[in-house]
Amino acid sequence: MKTINLQNKVALITGGSSGLGKAIAKEFVSCGASVCIIARTAANIEETVHEIQSVGSGQIRGFVCDITDQEKTAEVLGQIILELGGVDILVNNAGSSSRKNADELTTEDMILDMDLKLFANMRLVQLCLGQMRAKRWGRIINIVSIGGKVPGGSSAPTALSRASGITWTKILATELAPDNVLVNALCIGKIKSGQWERRYAASGSNDSYEEFLSPVAKTIPIGRLGESEELANVACFLASDLASYVTGVALNVDGGLCPVT
Ligand SMILES: NC(=O)c1ccc[n+]([C@@H]2O[C@H](COP(=O)([O-])OP(=O)(O)OC[C@H]3O[C@@H](n4cnc5c(N)ncnc54)[C@H](OP(=O)(O)O)[C@@H]3O)[C@@H](O)[C@H]2O)c1
C-alpha cells in the first residue's frame, strides 16, 4: 500500500494555529514531518502544539510572529534554518477575508491586504529558496481562494490579492521547476474553520452552528461545506513525493462551487 511519507522534511505553515493551517499541521506531523507553525497569538500556538505533538512520528514547534513584520519574519526563519537545517515545504496559509464596496475601497486597504497575502508570501519564499535550490527539492503551497478566479461583487481587496496569489504561483512554478521546487495553489471555496466560527459567533444566531451553515451549504454542488481535514489531505499529497510531476496548478478545493477549473 502506498502511503504519504514526510519523514526528514521540515515544513513551515503560516497561520498554523487555527482552522485550515492547523489541520495541515496535524496531517503533516502524522506523516512524519517536522512542522513549524507561525501565528500572532501565543496562547493559540501553545494550545495547537500541545494538541498536535503526539499525533504521529513527526514533531511540531510554534513561533509567535506577524508575517507582515519583515524583521521578525527574517529572525524566525533564521532560527528555523539554524536549528532544523532549512525549510523543505512552505505553506503560505495565513490570511483573512476583507471585503469592501468599490466606492469605499482605499489604497490603504489594498496595501494592507496585499502585504498580508502577497508581499509576506514573496518574502517567505525568498527566505526559503536558497536551501530548497541547494537541496534540489522543495514544495511551496499557496492557500488562496476561488474568488481569485471568479470574484463576486464587493470582493475587493481580498479577491484582488488572491488573483495575484494565483499568478505568483504560476510565475514561481515556471521559474523554479528546473530546481525541482514545485509550486501549487489551493483555491478554497467554503471550508469550516475559525473564520466560519467567528462569523457564527458575530451573527448572534440562536441556531446551531450546522443550522447557521445550512443556507451556505445549499449553494455548494456537493451540498455541504468542506472539512479542514479534506483540505489537509490535498496539501499533504502536494507536499509529498507522490506529487513529483505536479507544479503550477491552482486546484479548486470547493465541492464543485467554482464555475471554472
Ligand atoms: N475557510 C474558508 O472557507 C476559506 C475560504 C477562502 C480562503 N480561505 C483562506 O484560507 C486561509 C486559512 O483560513 P482559515 O479559515 O483557516 O482562517 P482562520 O481559522 O482564521 O486562521 C487564520 C490563521 O492565520 C493566522 N494569521 C492571520 N494573520 C496573520 C499574520 N499577520 N501573521 C501570522 N499569522 C496570521 C491566524 O493566527 P493569529 O490571528 O493568531 O495570527 C490563524 O492561525 C486564509 O488565508 C483564508 O483567507 C479560507
Side-chain angles (χ1 to χ4, degrees):
M1 192 175 65
K2 252 182 199 174
T3 52
I4 291 180
N5 181 358
L6 299 180
Q7 271 169 13
N8 303 318
K9 300 293 184 209
V10 177
L12 171 60
I13 304 169
T14 66
S17 66
S18 170
L20 311 186
K22 181 174 173 175
I24 294 170
K26 197 170 182 178
E27 199 60 33
F28 281 10
V29 170
S30 78
C31 291
S34 292
V35 174
C36 301
I37 59 170
I38 286 184
R40 294 165 302 179
T41 315
N44 296 348
I45 295 176
E46 252 173 61
E47 200 181 304
T48 299
V49 167
H50 182 71
E51 188 185 322
I52 292 181
Q53 63 192 357
S54 54
V55 298
S57 58
Q59 294 175 348
I60 181 162
R61 300 176 56 170
F63 296 86
V64 179
C65 173
D66 182 335
I67 57 165
T68 63
D69 179 337
Q70 296 192 45
E71 224 170 282
K72 181 69 184 168
T73 306
E75 184 192 312
V76 166
L77 258 290
Q79 198 181 336
I80 293 170
I81 290 166
L82 193 69
E83 291 174 17
L84 297 171
V87 172
D88 303 297
I89 303 161
L90 169 64
V91 182
N92 288 302
N93 164 75
S96 60
S97 179
S98 79
R99 294 158 184 277
K100 280 197 173 174
N101 293 328
D103 53 358
E104 292 166 345
L105 187 67
T106 64
T107 309
E108 182 66 9
D109 293 328
M110 272 313 304
I111 291 171
L112 283 175
D113 207 64
M114 291 288 274
D115 195 30
L116 174 62
K117 294 176 184 158
L118 182 69
F119 305 156
N121 178 322
M122 286 165 47
R123 292 189 289 261
L124 280 158
V125 167
Q126 286 163 352
L127 289 164
C128 296
L129 201 49
Q131 2 95 38
M132 285 183 180
R133 276 190 161 130
K135 288 183 189 170
R136 292 197 52 75
W137 199 100
R139 296 284 191 273
I140 299 170
I141 300 171
N142 294 325
I143 304 297
V144 296
S145 155
I146 56 171
K149 290 183 179 177
V150 181
S154 307
S155 66
T158 198
L160 282 165
S161 304
R162 293 321 193 178
S164 71
I166 294 170
T167 303
W168 173 235
T169 300
K170 197 68 187 170
I171 291 169
L172 282 176
T174 309
E175 198 171 317
L176 305 183
D179 298 308
N180 195 35
V181 176
L182 310 185
V183 190
N184 294 289
L186 293 176
C187 301
I188 313 300
K190 296 175 193 298
I191 298 183
K192 288 185 206 164
S193 69
Q195 283 193 10
W196 287 98
E197 283 159 25
R198 285 194 298 276
R199 279 180 210 174
Y200 173 56
S203 75
S205 168
N206 290 323
D207 292 341
S208 69
Y209 183 45
E210 290 302 327
E211 283 165 347
F212 170 78
L213 295 177
S214 168
V216 181
K218 289 193 178 111
T219 66
I220 304 170
I222 213 166
R224 61 179 176 82
L225 278 81
E227 301 292 337
S228 56
E229 294 74 20
E230 294 178 298
L231 184 265
N233 288 336
V234 186
C236 216
F237 165 70
L238 287 176
S240 76
D241 278 324
L242 294 182
S244 52
Y245 204 59
V246 182
T247 194
V249 166
L251 179 67
N252 299 342
V253 184
D254 69 343
L257 182 58
C258 186
V260 304
T261 52

